[in-house]
Amino acid sequence: MGHQPFEEWIFTGEPLSLEENQAFKEHMSACESCQLLFKAQFEIEGLLQGVAHAKPESGFVSRWQTRLVKNLHQEQARKHRNQSWLFLVLAIGMATIIFVPLVMHMINTYESPVHLLLGIVFQAIDFIVLMNMMQILITTLVKVCLAVIPPLYWLLMLVLFSFLSLLWLFSLRPLSITWRVPS
Amino acid sequence: VQDCETLWINMAQNGDDDAFGKLVEAYQTPVYNLCYRMLGNPFEAEDAAQESFFRAYKSLSGYDKKRPFSTWLLSISAHYCIDQIRRRKMKSVPLDSVSYLKLHNPNLNPELCAELNEDQQLIRSLLGTLSPIDRAVVVLFYWYDFSYDETAICLHLTVSAVKSRLHRARRELAKKLINQASRKVLAESYASCVDQAK
C-alpha cells in the first residue's frame, strides 16, 4: 500500500481540502502504519504544547550584572593586549624598514662575506675607541667641575634634581592607574 | 508593557545599564527556556542565556526598533545555541550524559511531579535527536508561537525552508517516539515474561 501523500499530510500542518480530507480518512482507516504515525504526531504535539517554560534559578539578573562587569573587564584587557601587540608589530615593521636598506647597502658595499665581517670588526673597534675617548673627555670634565664649582652649589644641584625627579614620578603616576569600567 | 520596554531599550541604548537589567529581568525566562530546550542541560543553558544577554548588550546600538525586541533577542540566543551544539558535536559529548532540569514543586503532588519530569526528559531526548537548526525551528514554533515568517526572520532562513525543516522535524520526532514506545513495550513484555517464569 502506498503511503504518499497521506504520510506527508500527517506532518504538513496545512489544512486539507474536502476531497483530500476524505481520501485521508479512507486511507487512515485501512493503514496501520499511518495510524501509528498519526498517533505519534498527535502525542508529540500534545507534549510540546503542554510543557511549560523552563525557568532559571533565582538571582539570574544579579548573576548577569556580575558577569557583565567581568566580561567588560576581560574585553578591556584584551583590547589593551591587542594594542600592545599592534604597537610591537608596528615597531618591528618600522625597524625592518630602516634596517633592510642598511643591510642592502652593506651587502652592496662589501665585495664578499669576509669583507663584510672585517667591516663589522672595524666598526666595533671604532666604537670602542669612541667610547674610550668619551670616557677620557667625561673624566676630564668632572675633574675640572670639581675643581671649579664649590661644594655648596653641588648640594643645591642635588636638591634641585631630587625635587625634579619627585615631580616627574608624581606626574607619571596617573598614567599607570587602571581605570575602573563604569558599571 | 510595550511602552516600558521601548523606554528601557532607549535608556539602555544611551548607556543605562540598569535599564538593560530590567530587560534581562523581563526576558530571562524566554531566553533561558530557549537555551535549555536547545542545549538540554541547565548549567549550559544558564551560561548560554547569560552570554546571549551579553551579546545583546554589546550589539544593542545596532538593534532595529522596527523589529520586535523579543524576536531580535531570541535570534541572538538561538544562533549562539546552534554554535554551541556544533562545537559540542566536535567535542563529541552525548546529550544523554548531561544532567537535566528536574521539577521540584512542593505545591504539586509527587506523582504529577514525576510525570512532568518524565515528559521533560522525553522531550529533551526527542529534541536531542534533531539537527541544531531543526531543533531551533521546533522550539520557536511550539514554545514561542512564532509564525513561519517570524521563525524565518529569527533564524535567517526562508519561509519554505522553515516549513520543510518543521515537516522533517515532526516526522523524525514521531518516528523516534514510535521507536521508544516499541522499546518500552518490549521491555515491559520481557519483564512480565520474567515474572511469569519465576
Side-chain angles (χ1 to χ4, degrees), chain A residues 103-163:
Chain A
V103 170
M104 295 302 288
H105 174 73
M106 282 175 79
I107 288 168
N108 289 336
T109 309
Y110 299 102
E111 290 163 8
S112 68
V114 177
H115 282 92
L116 181 69
L117 275 172
L118 278 172
I120 291 168
V121 169
F122 287 140
Q123 288 287 333
I125 291 168
D126 280 353
F127 181 72
I128 291 164
V129 170
L130 183 74
M131 287 293 111
N132 191 33
M133 282 170 68
M134 291 279 282
Q135 189 208 336
I136 293 165
L137 192 73
I138 289 165
T139 317
T140 315
L141 198 72
V142 168
K143 278 179 184 170
V144 169
C145 284
L146 281 173
V148 173
I149 301 167
L152 184 68
Y153 283 101
W154 281 113
L155 196 69
L156 272 173
M157 275 201 288
L158 189 72
V159 170
L160 187 68
F161 274 111
S162 305
F163 174 72

Side-chain angles (χ1 to χ4, degrees), chain A residues 7 45 54 63 67 75, chain B residues 33 46-47 58 142 171:
Chain A
E7 207 180 291
E45 291 271 330
R63 288 197 297 281
R67 185 165 170 152
E75 281 224 334
Chain B
N33 179 62
E46 163 89 17
D47 190 60
K58 278 186 69 189
Y142 284 102
R171 182 199 298 268

